[in-house]
């Protein structure tokens, strides 16, 4: 396979996912403005952060006037899954030159990772295979920037009577529901929910962080308990 | 201040994307860390969902005058069946709009 062949395969593999990316990016554009970010801040967040769900969390934290460390820890926690992507792509990319690794790290998103790791694991290796992730990542990047811009332009034309802030939890439901695979996820949600309801009085919106951490700990304990039972 | 938050968040995220592409890092994370990481999106996002649906002004909204619960249930059903952001938003937002006009 040539360089261009790998690149084109990456573009082709990720392309069907763009149907979901366009409304998601547009929704972020609209919500960024709603949260009080300027059009430029909203637009550049899509290229500087370039991680959809965490961008919406970012907007939500700005709207809530959360302190910096709560915002940073939420973004970090949410994007920690990239550590998994990075670790699993490592065997295929770690020997490439530094500039390539920096570039491909920048393009490492959920969708690009999903299609490129399938190629790396299921098809024969070759010296140009890093071009596959470049193709999938770049395609996603271009659609993401364009749809953010679309949302920013549309955002000014939407009537105030629609409660657009409520779009955030609705979008999150589309993301979370398929992730619920069993008991551990349910326990995570119940633990987080209990903290949300009981700890609203904490200063600096600390309940946000406490709820997420408690949920993760509860779910992980449930996972470890199940594993022990198996032995 | 906002630019500081934007660039800081960008650097944190980029760092996590890059770190395992350096030859010095171990190839595998411990099992429990992988399990915990898989739960992070569920925990963070459901925290936001629950607070947006059930809480207003720092207190539990009384169920009998909270149209968001109905709107969220409808949107949840649509999200579960279609996995479509567009259809879920259309269903949930219009349900909330209609209910808050009626009330």
């Amino acid at each position: 396979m040539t360089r261009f062949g790998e690149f084109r395969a990456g573009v082709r593999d990720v392309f069907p996912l763009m149907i979901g990316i366009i409304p998601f990016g547009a929704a972020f554009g609209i919500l960024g403005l709603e949260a009080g970010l300027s059009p430029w801040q909203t637009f550049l967040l899509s290229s500087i952060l370039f991680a959809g769900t965490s961008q919406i969390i970012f907007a939500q934290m700005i709207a809530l006037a959360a302190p910096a460390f709560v915002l940073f820890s939420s973004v970090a926690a949410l994007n920690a899954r990239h550590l998994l992507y990075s670790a699993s792509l490592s065997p295929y990319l770690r020997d490439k030159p530094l500039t390539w690794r920096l570039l491909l790290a920048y393009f490492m998103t959920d969708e690009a990772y999903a299609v490129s790791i399938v190629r790396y694991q299921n098809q024969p290796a070759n010296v140009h295979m890093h071009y596959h992730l470049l193709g999938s990542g770049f395609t996603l990047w271009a659609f993401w920037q364009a749809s953010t811009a679309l949302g920013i332009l549309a955002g000014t034309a939407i009537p105030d009577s629609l409660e657009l802030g409520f779009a955030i939890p609705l979008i999150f439901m589309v993301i979370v529901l398929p992730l619920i695979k069993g008991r551990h996820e349910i326990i995570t949600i119940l633990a987080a929910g209990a903290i949300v309801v009981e700890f609203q009085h904490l200063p600096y919106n600390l309940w946000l962080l406490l709820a997420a951490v408690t949920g993760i700990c509860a779910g992980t304990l449930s996972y470890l308990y199940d594993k022990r039972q198996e032995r | 201040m906002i630019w500081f938050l934007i660039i800081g968040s960008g650097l944190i995220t980029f760092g996590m994307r890059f770190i395992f592409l350096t030859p010095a890092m171990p190839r595998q994370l411990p099992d429990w860390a992988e399990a915990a990481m898989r739960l992070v999106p569920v925990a963070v996002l459901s925290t936001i969902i629950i607070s947006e649906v059930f809480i207003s002004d720092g207190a539990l909204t009384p169920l009998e005058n909270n149209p968001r619960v109905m709107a969220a249930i409808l949107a949840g059903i649509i999200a579960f069946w279609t996995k479509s952001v567009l259809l879920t938003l259309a269903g949930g937002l219009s349900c909330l709009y209609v209910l808050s006009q009626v009330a």
Side-chain angles (χ1 to χ4, degrees):
Chain A
M1 192 86 108
T2 60
R3 290 186 178 88
F4 185 66
E6 287 285 350
F7 182 85
R8 205 174 39 192
V11 174
R12 193 189 51 218
D13 291 347
V14 85
F15 207 79
L17 298 172
M18 295 305 108
I19 281 181
I21 288 300
I22 296 166
F24 193 19
F28 167 70
I30 294 167
L31 293 170
L33 299 186
E34 286 275 311
L37 296 169
S38 76
W40 273 112
Q41 286 165 343
T42 306
F43 184 67
L44 289 178
L45 197 57
S46 272
S47 52
I48 296 175
L49 188 48
F50 189 35
T53 312
S54 69
Q55 287 176 224
I56 295 182
I57 283 282
F58 186 101
Q60 179 76 1
M61 294 287 161
I62 296 293
L64 285 166
F69 80 93
V70 172
L71 185 148
F72 283 144
S73 19
S74 306
V75 169
L78 202 56
N79 286 336
R81 67 185 186 285
H82 292 96
L83 292 168
L84 289 177
Y85 302 166
S86 183
S88 78
L89 285 168
S90 181
Y92 308 100
L93 302 174
R94 63 200 300 165
D95 300 325
K96 301 294 172 200
L98 180 64
T99 40
W100 268 104
R101 283 182 283 130
L102 289 169
L103 185 68
L104 293 177
Y106 174 70
F107 282 133
M108 195 186 291
T109 52
D110 298 317
E111 292 81 1
Y113 166 77
V115 298
S116 290
I117 193 71
V118 169
R119 182 256 170 269
Y120 293 148
Q121 289 177 347
N122 297 345
Q123 286 171 46
N126 76 54
V127 285
H128 300 310
M129 66 182 179
H130 48 302
Y131 278 86
H132 190 280
L133 182 56
L134 184 69
S136 59
F138 176 76
T139 305
L140 188 89
W141 184 87
F143 272 88
W144 186 245
Q145 308 311 318
S147 56
T148 304
L150 194 73
I152 293 169
L153 296 176
T156 45
I158 287 177
D160 282 344
S161 58
L162 262 178
E163 284 193 60
L164 270 188
F166 195 57
I168 293 179
L170 299 186
I171 294 172
F172 286 175
M173 281 205 280
V174 182
I175 301 173
V176 166
L177 285 173
L179 296 178
I180 302 175
K181 300 219 169 79
R183 197 146 35 121
H184 315 317
E185 288 83 5
I186 307 273
I187 289 172
T188 302
I189 293 171
L190 291 177
I195 303 288
V196 171
V197 174
E198 292 300 321
F199 286 85
Q200 284 292 318
H201 57 274
L202 291 183
Y204 307 119
N205 286 318
L206 278 176
W207 56 268
L208 280 167
L209 200 56
L210 184 66
V213 171
T214 309
I216 294 162
C217 290
T220 307
L221 286 176
S222 152
Y223 167 83
L224 291 175
Y225 177 79
D226 269 16
K227 251 197 105 181
R228 252 181 105 167
Q229 298 294 94
E230 280 168 21
R231 272 188 207 142
Chain B
M1 179 61 181
I2 298 231
W3 285 111
F4 164 72
L5 297 173
I6 291 176
I7 291 167
S9 301
L11 287 176
I12 292 168
T13 303
F14 180 79
M16 291 192 292
R17 284 169 167 161
F18 181 67
I19 193 159
F20 282 102
L21 298 186
T22 55
M25 291 303 286
R27 277 165 196 264
Q28 278 269 296
L29 292 171
D31 187 43
W32 63 267
E34 289 206 16
M37 242 181 275
R38 273 186 233 290
L39 290 171
V40 168
V42 176
V44 176
L45 300 181
S46 57
T47 295
I48 299 287
I49 296 169
I50 292 163
S51 70
E52 285 292 314
V53 173
F54 293 102
I55 307 284
S56 50
D57 303 320
L60 209 56
T61 318
L63 269 186
E64 62 275 17
N65 74 58
N66 185 355
R68 291 184 161 210
V69 175
M70 273 308 288
I73 291 172
L74 176 72
I77 294 169
I78 299 174
F80 184 79
W81 283 112
T82 69
K83 297 186 168 62
S84 157
V85 172
L86 222 51
L87 291 177
T88 305
L89 285 179
L93 290 178
S94 52
C95 177
L96 181 62
Y97 181 76
V98 169
L99 288 178
S100 49
Q101 295 299 307
V102 172

